[in-house]
Amino acid sequence: MDKPHQVTPDIEVLPAHFPIPGMGFLPVNAFVIKATEPVLVDTGMGMDSEEFMKALRTVINPQDLRWVWLTHDDLDHTGSLRKVLEAAPRARLAVNALAMLRMSSAWQVPMDRVYWLNSGDSIRVGDRRLTAIRPPLFDNPTTIGIYDDKSEAFFSADYFGGIIPSPAQNADDVPEGILAQGIIRWASADSPWVHMVQPREFSRALERIQQIAPKIIFSAHLPPARGKTGQFLELLARVPASTPFVAPNQETLEQILAQMRGGT
Ligand SMILES: [Fe+2]
Ligand SMILES: [Fe+2]
């Protein structure tokens, strides 16, 4: 875990980064929206769980949380979910129904604390409305991002993510060309089906985000990005025709292992 930091007067990021050998780092962010009914968005990676809970407590007393919004049930988003629900007895779990069902194969999700959302549904959390939006790219069918109508921010789940050379507090801290390449490659790696979509259909999906025009993008996998929505959408429009990402193979693994052995 990295040090939590405040991005807007009422939104804090709980950042972590995950090393990807030979490529760089994948940011892994959760967020606290200090709404009248405070909301935690995602719960980090399981390997960081102890540190995650400590970081959360520096930002908010978990007893004050009213909502935990799970963007999807991938392991880098659910790492501390059970601990958070225990520490935050008044919080409800805002989640897609399928995500709850999938998690229920591993542990008993308390159904009476769950609030099921589909894309387009919204909840009021006191001073603002949070609307579930399925982003144009996703790696999990249960994905619901959030549009916050007060901060005009889009919490975009894995979408707009990118592998970057070193951890950074803001997207502006990453050189533009490197950021662009990181976003395009991540989109191909995380949503490989993007290479099969009709470009026109995909453009329409991107236009829907353009119409919402979020002022800040809070991706789970990129440092917070202010004023970059148009630029990012242009990058993503290039992804269907880009070279598909291919995961490293056994030969690469052996090279990495040899380097590690050489380094010890
Ligand atoms: Fe994911
Ligand atoms: Fe993720």
Side-chain angles (χ1 to χ4, degrees):
M1 287 290 299
D2 304 317
K3 205 169 173 300
H5 60 100
Q6 193 176 22
V7 184
T8 71
D10 51 9
I11 298 174
E12 307 237 12
V13 53
L14 305 176
H17 58 270
F18 185 73
I20 313 253
M23 293 176 71
F25 294 89
L26 181 70
V28 180
N29 303 317
F31 305 94
V32 172
I33 307 173
K34 292 187 167 168
T36 319
E37 296 181 16
V39 184
L40 171 66
V41 182
D42 288 339
T43 66
M45 297 180 281
M47 61 189 255
D48 279 344
S49 194
E50 219 163 285
E51 275 190 76
F52 182 90
M53 293 305 292
K54 271 191 210 154
L56 175 64
R57 286 193 168 94
T58 66
V59 168
I60 193 165
N61 180 346
Q63 302 264 354
D64 293 336
L65 283 173
R66 289 293 183 280
W67 297 92
V68 178
W69 184 302
L70 194 66
T71 61
H72 60 303
D73 65 318
D74 284 356
L75 291 174
D76 51 327
H77 301 253
T78 58
S80 293
L81 180 56
R82 295 174 74 170
K83 280 189 192 161
V84 168
L85 288 178
E86 274 169 34
R90 291 193 286 177
R92 295 186 78 176
L93 176 61
V95 66
N96 180 260
L98 284 182
M100 194 210 84
L101 289 174
R102 285 158 55 116
M103 290 191 293
S104 299
S105 67
W107 59 286
Q108 194 150 14
V109 183
M111 272 193 87
D112 56 345
R113 293 182 63 185
V114 166
Y115 193 104
W116 283 351
L117 291 161
N118 284 318
S119 190
D121 293 341
S122 52
I123 54 175
R124 265 216 86 82
V125 295
D127 58 345
R128 69 195 73 201
R129 180 175 293 277
L130 304 181
T131 302
I133 293 178
R134 182 153 88 164
L137 293 178
F138 50 86
D139 66 349
N140 175 318
T142 73
T143 301
I144 41 171
I146 308 169
Y147 179 68
D148 168 1
D149 69 357
K150 185 167 182 197
S151 65
E152 298 176 85
F154 181 36
F155 296 81
S156 60
D158 287 3
Y159 182 59
F160 290 127
I163 294 167
I164 55 178
S166 54
Q169 274 215 346
N170 294 292
D172 282 331
D173 300 337
V174 184
E176 205 167 305
I178 288 174
L179 185 68
Q181 197 191 21
I183 289 174
I184 290 175
R185 287 192 84 199
W186 170 256
S188 174
D190 196 49
S191 306
W193 50 266
V194 70
H195 297 288
M196 295 186 284
V197 300
Q198 294 285 343
R200 199 178 297 172
E201 290 301 318
F202 187 54
S203 311
R204 272 194 210 117
L206 298 179
E207 272 162 30
R208 284 195 282 276
I209 302 298
Q210 184 73 67
Q211 280 158 11
I212 297 165
K215 291 191 171 147
I216 311 179
I217 303 283
F218 289 111
S219 170
H221 300 310
L222 200 76
R226 199 185 288 269
K228 289 186 175 296
T229 303
Q231 182 189 332
F232 284 4
L233 289 170
E234 279 171 26
L235 289 175
L236 292 183
R238 287 160 46 189
V239 179
S242 70
T243 307
F245 175 84
V246 178
N249 60 11
Q250 177 61 19
E251 203 179 316
T252 311
L253 174 59
E254 282 168 16
Q255 284 166 7
I256 292 170
L257 292 173
Q259 272 171 13
M260 287 168 69
R261 278 194 291 270
T264 53

